[in-house]
Amino acid sequence: MATSLNEKLTLTPVLKFELPSLPYAYDALEPFIDKLTMQIHHDKHHGTYVSNLNKALEECKERPASLKEIIQNISAYPTAIRNNAGGHFNHSFFWKSMKPKNGEQPLVKLSEAINHSFGSFNTFKSMFTEAATKHFGSGWTWLVIRNNKLEIGSTPNQDNPLMDVSDFKGIPILGLDIWEHAYYLKYQNKRIDYINAWWDIVNWDEVTNNFQRAN
Ligand code: MN3
């Protein structure tokens, strides 16, 4: 054997992540999500998940090759990595799934799958809205694909449906941040108003891409 497993591990560099830029201006989602919320949410909250993830990875003996590898094997990592890798993954996914008000609907293939799984787009929307409204405390509500079926569910904290520890599993197609930091400045305790506003800025092109990639 040329190299032992231990030698290989020490040769693998520690992963280092960077905060991705928003794919639009801070005020691009106004009036549905306000500029200050986007600045604090992206720069401070997401930024802190990234820097805390980098710190935790330096102290960790595992040498994962990618964020997805960490997420899918999250039970092997300490809580700091679960929270911060989840935070980084979920927010990166979330920013891309929104865009300025566009009045779009899901593209044909996803639209057919939504009708097949939920009966109609409006039924899907009200089921998702209800799940997001009723989730207790911080977390995320998701549309996932699992065994060729679309399903709606929520995860606590910064967990997500790709994590091996998650009670709700699948490949995420759409995700909504329902932590208070996502909406409190503008909507205070009215989570339902934030959810209803968010429907206006869903980037259905991106969501449809997510669906096609997952198939
Ligand atoms: Mn958040």
Side-chain angles (χ1 to χ4, degrees), residues 98-162:
M98 296 186 285
K99 70 184 211 181
K101 184 176 169 69
N102 52 72
E104 282 170 9
Q105 297 255 319
L107 304 183
V108 176
K109 277 197 172 162
L110 175 57
S111 185
E112 283 171 1
I114 285 175
N115 291 341
H116 183 74
S117 297
F118 305 107
S120 72
F121 183 68
N122 282 339
T123 306
F124 154 68
K125 253 177 94 170
S126 46
M127 285 172 72
F128 190 103
T129 299
E130 191 183 349
T133 310
K134 287 190 172 164
H135 179 78
F136 183 77
S138 298
W140 292 74
T141 296
W142 306 93
L143 174 67
V144 303
I145 184 158
R146 189 179 188 195
N147 300 329
N148 292 316
K149 251 195 88 194
L150 291 173
E151 289 178 28
I152 294 165
S154 300
T155 54
N157 306 316
Q158 293 297 353
D159 286 358
N160 70 49
L162 292 171

Side-chain angles (χ1 to χ4, degrees), residues 127-198:
M127 285 172 72
F128 190 103
T129 299
E130 191 183 349
T133 310
K134 287 190 172 164
H135 179 78
F136 183 77
S138 298
W140 292 74
T141 296
W142 306 93
L143 174 67
V144 303
I145 184 158
R146 189 179 188 195
N147 300 329
N148 292 316
K149 251 195 88 194
L150 291 173
E151 289 178 28
I152 294 165
S154 300
T155 54
N157 306 316
Q158 293 297 353
D159 286 358
N160 70 49
L162 292 171
M163 289 183 173
D164 59 359
V165 293
S166 184
D167 291 333
F168 177 69
K169 289 198 182 67
I171 301 171
I173 306 297
L174 174 67
L176 173 61
D177 189 341
I178 45 176
W179 283 57
E180 286 184 345
H181 68 225
Y183 62 87
Y184 211 84
L185 287 179
K186 185 176 171 75
Y187 296 100
Q188 293 85 45
N189 59 323
K190 298 180 288 282
R191 184 190 282 182
I192 182 68
D193 290 358
Y194 157 68
I195 299 166
N196 286 332
W198 169 78

